[in-house]
Amino acid sequence: MKKVIKNGTIVTATDTYQADLLIDNGVINQIGKHLPLDDAEIIDAKGCYVFPGGIDPHTHLEMPFGGTVTKDDFETGTIAAAFGGTTSVIDFCLTNKGETLKSAIETWHAKSKHKAVIDYGFHLQIVEMNDDVLHELPKVIEQEGITSFKVFMAYKNVLQADDETLFRTLISAKELGALVMVHAENGDVIDYLVKKALKQGNTDPIFHALTRPSEVEGEATGRAAILTGLANSQLYVVHVSCADAARKIAEARNNGIDIWGETCPQYLVLDQSYLEKPNFEGAKFVWSPPLREKWNQDVLWNALKTGQLQTVGSDQCSFDFNGQKDLGKGNFSKIPNGGPIIEDRVSILFSEGVKKGRITLNQFVDLISTRAAKLFGLYPRKGTIAVGVDADIVIFDPTVVRTISVETHHMAVDYNPFEGIKVTGEPISVLSRGEFVIRDKKFVGQLGAGQYLKRGKYGASDHSGTTNLV
Ligand SMILES: NC(=O)NCCC(=O)O
Ligand SMILES: [Zn+2]
Ligand SMILES: [Zn+2]
């Protein structure tokens, strides 16, 4: 059935205006005033913003990590995402040395196909570049529409790749039209510092942060940027946590290197002191890179405002406090890294960013949706409000005040790192391709309704977004 969203304020990455939307067959059919209402369901969005569904470019759903598996899978994770105003996620498909890329991708399809309630795509990890991988990569792009490759520069002996692999991945990506993503921390130096700390009996969660100083993130970011320039390629740095790394990205951009940076809500709102909470509660705040000294937050906000960082991903990677995070009691290096963020990404950015005057409303839409669509080959099908695009829409009340809590969140984990933080603004209803997933704050979607997204090549929809609709 057709739908008309009436009386709302439409917000895109560039414009804010009053208009109604006619949705037909899952796409936006008309935008304007006095739209034909016959046969259409009317949805009143008075007092609300109407913006494109969030695109979360960084999730780890049902991912094996640190001897356990992330608690949220494609069912609970995408439901929570939808509650939070996100209508597409791009998840990291992990690979094992010696395994074919095809087999790794099949594993990720099996995890997601019948569970996801919103649309989803995959980035592909490259753990080792060799002739077999090189041979498979064109098929990964053409058949699977996976146009972003992830290289970890940290997690020695687990996920970490060496510089040769990073460099060869950059060269291949340039040839094939893909974007390389890096987790930028110097894994070798961290490994040394961790062993040294443990030998000295320093086992508490705070030593996770102290053994991963911001210099090792800055160094790896700078090294990856230099290799990108040398390969004349393109790079996206995930989860930038600190000034050292943000400045390396800004410097490389000023030197003409095609490099982009993502930060995450946790780095914008929480800080290193959380790792010192008593009774092992600091483990709830263990991410890699770690939370930083508070002053870094101003640098990150400023980088978002000035365009030196371009996206905000969740890095959703959730583990229960009881039964998972506690694997690291007595040894901080065994605390599974990551946290549950997927649901609060959009709200945190609106409340802490727009409401506090740090970014504009249009920048907010760009940061949570449009820019990711452009960088990851989804634009303009996703990431904007225009005639002909998927009707992935958030109806957002900018006045509601709520307190984030594990008691009310929809993620599968037993804590929320933003517990007690008050946010202004909340998604009321969320539509995916014209169908309600969240209606009046209730889940009404369907398991398996999310479609797999084959994505376009890097640069095919140019970053200013001038490609025609396909
Ligand atoms: N970030 C984190 O601590 N966990 C998820 C895995 C990763 O992105 O490095
Ligand atoms: Zn990472
Ligand atoms: Zn991650």
Side-chain angles (χ1 to χ4, degrees):
M1 188 183 189
K2 291 181 191 172
K3 295 183 178 74
V4 172
I5 301 180
K6 275 185 78 68
N7 307 320
T9 301
I10 295 178
V11 188
T12 69
T14 50
D15 300 299
T16 307
Y17 57 98
Q18 300 277 322
D20 301 337
L21 292 179
L22 173 65
I23 298 168
D24 192 13
N25 254 328
V27 298
I28 298 173
N29 184 279
Q30 286 187 54
I31 303 174
K33 293 271 169 83
H34 315 296
L35 299 179
L37 301 180
D38 331 331
D39 308 332
E41 179 187 0
I42 313 296
I43 300 144
D44 188 9
K46 193 166 172 14
C48 290
Y49 291 136
V50 177
F51 55 75
I55 297 173
D56 190 339
H58 188 156
T59 68
H60 304 279
L61 300 173
E62 202 184 325
M63 181 183 78
F65 191 65
T68 184
V69 178
T70 57
K71 193 76 193 300
D72 283 288
D73 61 9
F74 277 85
E75 176 179 336
T76 61
T78 59
I79 290 173
F83 270 108
T86 290
T87 53
S88 302
V89 297
I90 314 180
D91 199 77
F92 288 95
C93 168
L94 295 192
T95 58
N96 298 303
K97 279 185 187 169
E99 182 190 18
T100 64
L101 302 180
K102 185 169 185 283
S103 145
I105 294 166
E106 274 167 8
T107 302
W108 244 256
H109 278 304
K111 287 176 198 273
S112 48
K113 195 173 168 41
H114 301 293
K115 289 189 174 173
V117 305
I118 55 172
D119 293 351
Y120 61 96
F122 305 146
H123 310 288
L124 182 71
Q125 183 204 2
I126 306 292
V127 65
E128 183 178 56
M129 184 53 87
N130 56 42
D131 289 347
D132 293 338
V133 171
L134 273 180
H135 182 70
E136 271 198 276
L137 279 182
K139 280 184 256 170
V140 165
I141 294 195
E142 302 304 334
Q143 292 171 15
E144 293 289 340
I146 296 180
T147 52
S148 41
F149 307 145
K150 169 78 174 287
V151 176
F152 287 90
M153 299 171 80
Y155 303 125
K156 194 173 164 80
N157 300 325
V158 189
L159 302 171
Q160 186 172 330
D162 60 18
D163 283 356
E164 180 189 339
T165 287
L166 173 57
F167 192 53
R168 292 180 69 185
T169 304
L170 284 160
I171 292 168
S172 301
K174 178 68 182 179
E175 284 166 10
L176 296 169
L179 181 57
V180 178
M181 309 169 81
V182 280
H183 172 134
E185 285 186 298
N186 186 322
D188 291 357
V189 172
I190 291 167
D191 188 58
Y192 169 78
L193 293 174
V194 167
K195 283 180 180 147
K196 187 171 160 207
L198 291 173
K199 211 164 160 190
Q200 291 171 343
N202 295 324
T203 58
D204 289 346
I206 183 63
F207 287 96
H208 173 77
L210 299 179
T211 53
R212 307 180 89 99
S214 62
E215 287 87 345
V216 301
E217 187 182 345
E219 185 278 327
T221 306
R223 180 163 31 110
I226 287 170
L227 296 180
T228 304
L230 202 56
N232 188 26
S233 189
Q234 47 255 358
L235 186 74
Y236 176 99
V237 184
V238 301
H239 52 40
V240 173
S241 74
C242 61
D244 277 337
R247 288 185 183 138
K248 288 287 181 191
I249 292 171
E251 188 184 304
R253 288 175 70 79
N254 286 341
N255 289 334
I257 294 172
D258 194 3
I259 180 169
W260 307 88
E262 164 202 275
T263 189
C264 311
Q266 52 272 35
Y267 302 119
L268 294 166
V269 173
L270 310 175
D271 65 74
Q272 189 179 300
S273 66
Y274 284 71
L275 283 112
E276 294 180 289
K277 284 189 185 280
N279 304 322
F280 196 63
E281 295 248 343
K284 294 177 179 173
F285 304 94
V286 164
W287 279 274
S288 292
L291 298 177
R292 302 299 187 185
E293 287 174 19
K294 198 163 175 54
W295 62 267
N296 286 274
Q297 292 172 2
D298 286 342
V299 177
L300 295 178
W301 278 113
N302 199 41
L304 292 176
K305 186 190 175 90
T306 57
Q308 290 169 359
L309 296 175
Q310 297 80 23
T311 63
V312 175
S314 69
D315 194 5
Q316 167 73 18
C317 189
S318 61
F319 300 101
D320 272 337
F321 179 58
N322 296 299
Q324 292 190 292
K325 287 278 184 183
D326 54 15
L327 291 169
K329 269 195 177 148
N331 180 346
F332 68 87
S333 75
K334 295 208 160 24
I335 301 168
N337 293 192
I341 305 289
I342 202 165
E343 186 165 352
D344 299 309
R345 179 184 71 111
V346 170
S347 288
I348 290 269
L349 203 70
F350 181 81
S351 187
E352 291 290 318
V354 180
K355 288 304 271 188
K356 294 196 173 168
R358 289 162 161 150
I359 52 171
T360 68
L361 188 55
N362 305 103
Q363 282 179 317
F364 156 77
V365 171
D366 199 37
L367 289 164
I368 55 119
S369 178
T370 315
R371 184 63 58 163
K374 289 176 179 173
L375 288 173
F376 294 109
L378 292 171
Y379 194 85
R381 177 179 166 198
K382 308 280 190 195
T384 194
I385 292 198
V387 171
V389 311
D390 283 359
D392 291 357
I393 289 167
V394 180
I395 301 175
F396 188 87
D397 183 338
T399 61
V400 180
V401 178
R402 72 182 173 98
T403 304
I404 296 179
S405 174
V406 63
E407 302 299 331
T408 46
H409 79 198
H410 301 88
M411 295 175 285
V413 276
D414 61 2
Y415 77 101
N416 189 308
F418 301 124
E419 186 73 35
I421 292 182
K422 273 200 169 64
V423 284
T424 306
E426 185 177 28
I428 304 300
S429 295
V430 177
L431 294 91
S432 166
R433 282 177 282 100
E435 298 299 327
F436 282 103
V437 185
I438 305 297
R439 185 165 200 159
D440 298 327
K441 303 192 200 178
K442 296 208 168 49
F443 176 67
V444 294
Q446 275 179 359
L447 295 193
Q451 286 181 1
Y452 175 69
L453 295 166
K454 289 190 180 182
R455 298 180 287 114
K457 291 187 180 180
Y458 176 73
S461 61
D462 84 46
H463 309 305
S464 56
T466 50
T467 309
N468 291 329
L469 289 172
V470 281

